Amino acid sequence: MKDQAGRTIDYMRISLTDRCNLRCRYCMPHDIKKIEMSQLLNYEEIVVIAKCAVELGIVNFKLTGGEPLVRKNVPVLVEMLKAIPGVKTVTMTTNGTLLSSYAAELKKAGLDGINVSLDTLDADAFAKLTGHTFPLSSVLEGIKAVQQAEIPVKLNTVNRRDLDWKTILSYAKDQHLVVRFIEMMPIGYGKDYMGTSNEILFAQIQELYGTGIPVTERKGNGPAKYYRFENYPDEIGFISAIHHKFCDTCNRIRLSSEGYLKLCLCYEQGMDLRKLLRDGSSMKEIKAQMQQAIARKPLEHCFSEKEKMTETQVMAQIGG
Ligand code: SAM
Ligand code: SF4
């Protein structure tokens, strides 16, 4: 469907839980008050909302969290979503720590792709950055398992001030993985970790790997801009929400683990779909309410005028 700005909205991020087994400093460094399990949408409720979304033309879904794989039986949900007529892709973003146990089941369930978030390849730095819960090796084993299961996998790396991008790119080169560098956004604790811009990073990568040429073909459902560098084998993606605002082509909405339909990262504005579901509204009514809410999707984010931001949740509660 189109929103008030004429943008085609065809992508929904579904957060399965606010819980996470890591404590990334820029995302959820401390425990947060956990949402009670009874307040989370169950899988049947998620499927009802996904069916309404599909009827509105939203056909690509990304499972996120917190950490989506800490929720039980995620492959079952993947299978349920893939069985909805009209669904094009179901993908996931994960910290990778639990992937080695889940990769084969996720493949069987039909998952179309996985983004693994990986910010460093130094085991000590990883422990410091993610809260000393799971070792870096668990993520690296998870990536291998996904590759063995033949699920397409990409790396997501947040552009922090002390990012060692050279090691990330050299690991990705050896493992034949596409990397996307994401600019840190001033959401929650991210405000204190804003790194250099992707523009500066791009220039540094050019110095090492030669001229970067934009890839014109559209890749994936997201805002990443991909480039090919003369002396680097794979494409490299840049998601530059801060320094190259892409709001005019934004195609996404978010569903929180509690069933709140969120329209833009910056603002709290949205709609409580769980209430509609649990009050017994029909699918037709839910769909109509979703349509009205999505039509009013804000025109742009306001990261450069932080006083206008109304979102107070941390990224782990929003789902990235
Ligand atoms: N736990 C999963 C993971 O780490 O991929 C899914 C949830 S996590 C919130 C989704 C993505 O958001 C991760 O790639 C994470 O690095 C990114 N993220 C968290 N806080 C951020 C911020 N302030 N700015 C930009 N990206 C952020
Ligand atoms: Fe957890 Fe992902 Fe946030 Fe790290 S970025 S704390 S893994 S939700």
Side-chain angles (χ1 to χ4, degrees):
M1 67 167 281
K2 300 243 188 230
D3 72 352
Q4 58 173 335
R7 295 171 294 194
T8 300
I9 310 300
D10 61 3
Y11 174 89
M12 180 187 267
R13 292 177 76 91
I14 302 177
S15 172
L16 301 185
T17 177
D18 58 328
R19 290 160 169 73
C20 187
N21 56 355
L22 297 187
R23 288 288 176 274
C24 300
R25 284 176 177 229
Y26 58 82
C27 181
M28 184 170 55
H30 318 288
D31 289 352
I32 49 171
K33 191 173 177 293
K34 292 190 181 82
I35 300 169
E36 281 182 34
M37 286 306 286
S38 62
Q39 302 304 305
L40 299 185
L41 292 191
N42 61 42
Y43 289 172
E44 285 72 25
E45 289 172 322
I46 291 176
V47 166
V48 171
I49 295 190
K51 282 184 176 162
C52 294
V54 170
E55 287 185 22
L56 293 172
I58 298 156
V59 290
N60 299 299
F61 297 90
K62 169 89 72 202
L63 305 180
T64 176
E67 172 48 41
L69 290 173
V70 301
R71 184 123 182 217
K72 282 196 186 125
N73 300 328
V74 175
V76 172
L77 176 66
V78 172
E79 214 170 327
M80 288 161 84
L81 290 170
K82 286 290 287 185
I84 301 172
V87 165
K88 277 197 186 151
T89 61
V90 178
T91 55
M92 175 184 288
T93 174
T94 167
N95 61 33
T97 52
L98 303 175
L99 270 178
S100 46
S101 346
Y102 277 108
E105 275 182 82
L106 290 169
K107 171 72 179 176
K108 206 163 153 230
L111 194 73
D112 294 291
I114 295 188
N115 293 343
V116 177
S117 305
L118 181 61
D119 294 327
T120 174
L121 284 153
D122 177 296
D124 290 336
F126 179 88
K128 275 191 201 128
L129 184 66
T130 63
H132 299 270
T133 53
F134 280 71
L136 172 67
S137 56
S138 63
V139 182
L140 303 183
E141 280 157 25
I143 293 171
K144 264 194 209 137
V146 171
Q147 288 180 314
Q148 269 159 15
E150 298 185 355
I151 306 176
V153 54
K154 292 188 192 120
L155 294 184
N156 279 348
T157 299
V158 178
N159 187 353
R160 293 167 294 111
R161 238 167 269 140
D162 50 356
L163 170 67
D164 177 5
W165 57 267
K166 287 184 189 163
T167 312
I168 296 270
L169 284 180
S170 122
Y171 162 77
K173 185 162 87 168
D174 293 345
Q175 305 299 319
H176 310 290
L177 291 163
V178 168
V179 183
R180 292 122 46 91
F181 291 104
I182 304 175
E183 282 186 346
M184 184 73 77
M185 290 179 265
I187 298 269
Y189 297 93
K191 290 187 191 100
D192 304 327
Y193 283 87
M194 302 283 285
T196 50
S197 70
N198 268 348
E199 229 160 52
I200 293 178
L201 177 62
F202 182 86
Q204 291 169 342
I205 295 176
Q206 286 206 125
E207 271 177 37
L208 186 63
Y209 288 116
T211 309
I213 311 283
V215 174
T216 45
E217 180 195 339
R218 187 162 190 253
K219 304 245 160 200
N221 298 307
K225 285 225 160 74
Y226 288 91
Y227 290 82
R228 270 199 174 280
F229 292 82
E230 277 172 301
N231 305 313
Y232 190 82
D234 296 301
E235 289 154 8
I236 302 175
F238 296 85
I239 302 180
S240 313
I242 308 297
H243 294 90
H244 278 285
K245 209 169 175 176
F246 39 72
C247 299
D248 56 337
T249 55
C250 183
N251 62 345
R252 58 191 51 202
I253 51 169
R254 294 173 167 83
L255 181 67
S256 80
S257 53
E258 293 176 284
Y260 191 78
L261 181 71
K262 187 170 161 52
L263 305 168
C264 173
L265 267 181
C266 256
Y267 312 99
E268 183 275 336
Q269 181 192 341
M271 173 162 290
D272 185 353
L273 297 179
R274 184 185 65 195
K275 182 164 182 354
L276 294 176
L277 279 164
R278 297 193 180 171
D279 284 352
S281 303
S282 66
M283 261 184 71
K284 195 172 162 201
E285 285 162 339
I286 297 172
K287 189 177 115 186
Q289 293 284 332
M290 283 172 71
Q291 190 165 19
Q292 277 181 28
I294 297 167
R296 296 192 300 267
K297 181 174 157 65
L299 299 180
E300 55 185 357
H301 72 59
C302 57
F303 289 143
S304 54
E305 294 164 276
K306 295 192 188 70
E307 66 288 353
K308 288 194 185 160
M309 282 176 67
T310 54
E311 185 52 81
T312 53
Q313 298 188 98
V314 300
M315 205 58 126
Q317 293 164 311
I318 300 172

